[in-house]
Amino acid sequence: MPPIVALVGHSQSGKTTLIEKLIPELMSRGYKVATVKHTHHHVEPDDADKDTRRHLQAGAAAVVLGSPRAVVLTKATTGETGLDEISRLLGEVYDIVIAEGFKYDRNVAKIEVHRQAVGPLLEDVANLLAVVSDQTLNKEVKQFAFDDVSGLADLIEASVINPERVRSVLYADGVRVPMKGFIQEMVANIVEGITASLKGIGEGKRIEIFVRKNSKS
C-alpha cells in the first residue's frame, strides 16, 4: 500500500485548493501522486452510462468502465470504505496518496487545513503532522502558511514518503495483515531472492505476487 497523508479540516478551509498546489510540487520532485476524496453523499454511476448501473443492479461486485482517456471503477460496498481498502484498489504503483477528508481514520498521517474565518481547529485529530493556517496557532506541531507549498512538500517527503525504504504488504482474505519493518524487509529479501533466479525478470523495484488457494480440491 502506498504511503498516505490526509488533509483534513472544516468545509471551505481550502483543502482542495491546497491539494491542487501540492500535486504539481510533488510531481516536480519525481513522485507519482494519487488522490482520494471523501464524500458523505451517496455516489451512483453516471446516468450517461446506464450499462454500468445495469451491471451493478444485476449483482456485479465491481464494474470497470474503460475509455481511451480514463478508467472508472465502481465497486459496490455495504458501508464506509476506509483508506486502507481504497489504497489497495489503487495498487502499489504510486509514491504517495493524498487524501482529502478521512479525519476519523486514526492510522493515517494528517495535515489540518485551518482558516480563522471558517471555524476552530478540529478536536482529537490522531497522527497530526502539521497545521496549515492563516494565523499563528498555539500548537506543538509544525505550522505552515498557505503559500508555503514547498515547505509542506518537504515535510511530506521527509515524514511520509522517504521513511518507507522497503514496502512489503500482506493481505489475507482481503484484510491487511500488519507487518513490522524488519518483517517487511525479510519478506522483500526472500521474494527478491526467489525471483532473481527466474527468467525474464529484470531489476525492477516492484514485485507483485497473488496467491489464491481453492478449498475445493
Side-chain angles (χ1 to χ4, degrees):
M1 185 177 70
I4 307 170
V5 63
L7 270 62
V8 301
H10 294 292
S11 178
Q12 304 301 316
S13 60
K15 299 186 295 294
T16 301
T17 301
L18 186 57
I19 289 174
E20 286 178 321
K21 295 177 180 179
L22 270 173
I23 292 170
E25 176 65 30
L26 290 168
M27 288 178 60
S28 71
R29 303 181 185 205
Y31 297 115
K32 193 170 185 178
V33 182
T35 65
V36 176
K37 173 71 170 69
H38 184 267
T39 179
H40 295 288
H41 303 292
H42 185 63
V43 177
E44 289 285 354
D46 192 333
D47 288 335
D49 184 61
K50 296 178 181 178
D51 290 345
T52 298
R53 186 187 295 273
R54 290 174 63 185
H55 289 190
L56 290 170
Q57 289 175 339
V63 181
V64 176
L65 177 64
S67 76
R69 296 186 61 184
V71 174
V72 179
L73 166 66
T74 303
K75 184 176 183 294
T77 62
T78 57
E80 187 77 26
T81 304
L83 275 173
D84 189 72
E85 175 63 17
I86 294 173
S87 296
R88 183 184 173 209
L89 292 172
L90 283 171
E92 298 293 328
V93 300
Y94 304 99
D95 298 302
I96 180 69
V97 175
I98 303 176
E100 181 177 342
F102 298 92
K103 63 183 177 182
Y104 297 116
D105 195 322
R106 304 188 68 84
N107 297 320
V108 175
K110 298 179 187 68
I111 295 169
E112 182 171 353
V113 183
H114 166 264
R115 287 189 187 276
Q116 185 177 11
V118 173
L121 288 166
L122 299 175
E123 296 182 359
D124 192 30
V125 178
N127 293 332
L128 185 64
L129 282 180
V131 176
V132 178
S133 179
D134 57 357
Q135 65 175 147
T136 302
L137 302 166
N138 185 22
K139 295 282 289 186
E140 294 182 358
V141 297
K142 292 181 179 294
Q143 297 183 37
F144 295 89
F146 276 91
D147 59 358
D148 190 7
V149 177
S150 177
L152 188 59
D154 287 342
L155 177 68
I156 294 172
E157 191 173 24
S159 302
V160 182
I161 300 174
N162 286 341
E164 285 208 333
R165 191 174 65 86
V166 175
R167 187 199 313 161
S168 299
V169 184
L170 172 64
Y171 286 90
D173 294 329
V175 178
R176 189 183 183 196
V177 180
M179 294 190 295
K180 293 184 178 180
F182 77 95
I183 297 293
Q184 290 192 41
E185 190 157 356
M186 183 176 68
V187 170
N189 290 336
I190 292 172
V191 172
E192 188 176 21
I194 293 171
T195 57
S197 63
L198 302 177
K199 294 181 179 180
I201 296 181
E203 297 182 356
K205 295 182 179 180
R206 181 166 63 94
I207 301 171
E208 296 181 30
I209 296 178
F210 177 80
V211 179
R212 171 176 286 169
K213 295 183 68 176
N214 193 339
S215 58
K216 296 179 181 180
S217 56

